[in-house]
Amino acid sequence: MYSSEEIAVSTGRSAMRMGPAELVQAAAMARRFYLEGKSKIQIAEEFGVSRFKVARVLETALERDLVRIEIRVPAELDAERSDALRARYGLRHAVVVESPAEAADESPDPENLGEVAADLLGELVNEGDVLGLAWGRSTIHMAAALDQLPPCTVVQLTGVYDAGTAERGSVEAVRRAAQVSGGEAHPIYAPMLLPDPATAAALRNQTGIARAFEYFDKVTVAAVSIGSWEAGISTVHDMLTDEEREHYASLGVAAEMSAHLFDADGRRVGRDLGERCITVEADRLRRIPEVVAIAGGQRKAEAIAAVLRSGLVTSLVTDTAAADQLLAAPPGARPALERADPDD
């Protein structure tokens, strides 16, 4: 419903074309409908007129500026871009956050994306759900910002990033989300990328990791990050050798998500890499009912567009810097919600 701050009664020139009795009646009906939440039938009974008469009066009140309706969202959210982005890519939810004033074009994934994504998860997760979290700076920021979640199980969807840096928060993110929700935590104590497929296969069979993998088919809501194929913007890129990076770049890699590589059209490439990774399989990810991607910044815009075309995500939290480029780019052949197989 509308608050009293969102309804303004005007007695300006356009409104005064109505007679004083009409003005008073229209104002009273508008107050009943917009502020008190009464139906048109209830208003009609109170004033002794038909509900069609009430509908005409309310319509006239809007046309003649007697009633003004303002739609307000927090200043950090861009409602117009959000709705345009949702419609253009066929998403279930798109939330666009104002980019930071400083270096919006150089800083991917502003921290406020995580804060907004945490609030979105609070809306999407229901009691008894299984929440999956993939590694990523944005998902780590999101987990740190969580302050409420319904009771749910939380499972880690990828191994950890270990390149001798301090960015090792995926296990902590899973534990944090489980702590907030009061549910079980199923972390994965293993690197995301292994030297060879045999080592990766052996780790997947270890008891703790295998238990986490068993939950992948039960995940109902997942949060993932997106990386561009460049240093410092893609976890996988930074873990590979120079020769390996050049090899996958030659295949046309435009984006990386949860150790899956995509070309600009959203098709998966370099699938052999997945055999060396501890991560949720692409087909399992596609079957999760709600997959929220969290990524922003101009440097990631092309990568975000590629992942949106893949059919693996349903919703997006991004910023205005990325949104403007996404709205200017082709959306892809099919809406994201069709969940098309990226291997087709």
Side-chain angles (χ1 to χ4, degrees), residues 3 67 117 160 190 259 301 306 315:
S3 71
V67 172
V160 300
S315 298

Side-chain angles (χ1 to χ4, degrees), residues 3-342:
S3 71
S4 58
E5 293 180 349
E6 296 169 314
I7 301 295
V9 177
S10 170
T11 56
R13 183 176 301 172
S14 60
M16 285 306 294
R17 293 173 186 170
M18 303 171 68
E22 292 176 308
L23 276 171
V24 171
Q25 184 183 69
M29 288 184 176
R31 184 171 295 279
R32 304 291 194 281
F33 184 73
Y34 291 110
L35 300 184
E36 299 175 13
K38 291 188 176 180
S39 69
K40 293 174 184 176
I41 293 176
Q42 290 173 315
I43 297 170
E45 291 176 350
E46 178 182 349
F47 287 87
V49 297
S50 71
R51 61 185 176 89
F52 302 105
K53 166 75 171 180
V54 174
R56 285 196 300 271
V57 170
L58 293 175
E59 183 178 352
T60 301
L62 286 171
E63 290 175 351
R64 300 192 178 184
D65 206 27
L66 177 64
V67 172
R68 299 174 185 171
I69 298 175
E70 297 179 5
I71 300 174
R72 297 176 179 176
V73 296
E76 67 196 28
L77 300 181
D78 191 310
E80 186 175 351
R81 284 186 176 93
S82 297
D83 189 55
L85 200 59
R86 177 199 57 77
R88 184 169 186 80
Y89 287 88
L91 295 161
R92 182 172 292 120
H93 303 285
V95 182
V96 178
V97 181
E98 288 289 343
S99 300
E102 67 282 358
D105 58 337
E106 295 296 329
S107 304
D109 299 341
E111 289 192 20
N112 60 342
L113 291 187
E115 297 170 3
V116 173
D119 290 339
L120 180 60
L121 275 196
E123 293 183 60
L124 300 180
V125 176
N126 296 306
E127 183 173 352
D129 276 349
V130 177
L131 171 62
L133 299 181
W135 192 95
R137 295 176 182 88
S138 56
T139 52
I140 291 170
H141 291 153
M142 179 202 69
L146 285 170
D147 57 12
Q148 61 177 2
L149 273 179
C152 65
T153 299
V154 185
V155 60
Q156 193 169 324
L157 297 178
T158 63
V160 300
Y161 172 39
D162 186 356
T165 75
E167 299 285 357
R168 303 178 185 177
S170 50
V171 170
E172 290 78 4
V174 169
R175 293 195 175 280
R176 165 66 182 168
Q179 179 184 28
V180 172
S181 74
E184 295 181 3
H186 293 276
I188 293 177
Y189 296 99
M192 181 187 294
L193 180 66
L194 281 304
D196 53 70
T199 305
L203 278 177
R204 291 189 201 103
N205 289 326
Q206 288 189 358
T207 302
I209 298 174
R211 186 177 299 115
F213 267 64
E214 289 173 0
Y215 275 91
F216 287 179
D217 286 329
K218 303 174 184 178
V219 174
T220 51
V221 180
V224 300
S225 297
I226 295 172
S228 301
W229 197 245
E230 58 179 301
I233 312 295
S234 164
T235 302
V236 173
H237 180 282
D238 292 347
M239 289 191 288
L240 297 174
T241 65
D242 290 341
E243 183 179 355
E244 290 170 329
R245 291 169 189 157
E246 291 176 6
H247 165 67
Y248 290 115
S250 71
L251 301 179
V253 175
E256 174 262 318
M257 179 179 69
S258 302
H260 300 294
L261 309 181
F262 305 88
D263 67 13
D265 293 322
R267 293 186 295 261
R268 281 211 305 152
V269 295
R271 279 174 275 178
D272 61 303
L273 181 66
E275 297 176 4
R276 296 170 50 194
C277 293
I278 303 297
T279 186
V280 60
E281 299 94 327
D283 193 52
R284 278 177 158 174
L285 194 60
R286 184 166 58 90
R287 294 198 301 267
I288 296 173
E290 183 73 78
V291 179
V292 181
I294 311 163
Q298 288 186 15
R299 292 175 65 186
K300 279 195 177 184
E302 292 183 6
I304 297 169
V307 171
L308 292 183
R309 297 178 188 122
S310 74
L312 294 182
V313 303
T314 60
S315 298
L316 173 69
V317 177
T318 191
D319 66 346
T320 52
D324 286 342
Q325 290 189 234
L326 289 168
L327 289 171
R334 290 178 286 192
L337 287 178
E338 282 193 13
R339 315 303 297 280
D341 189 338

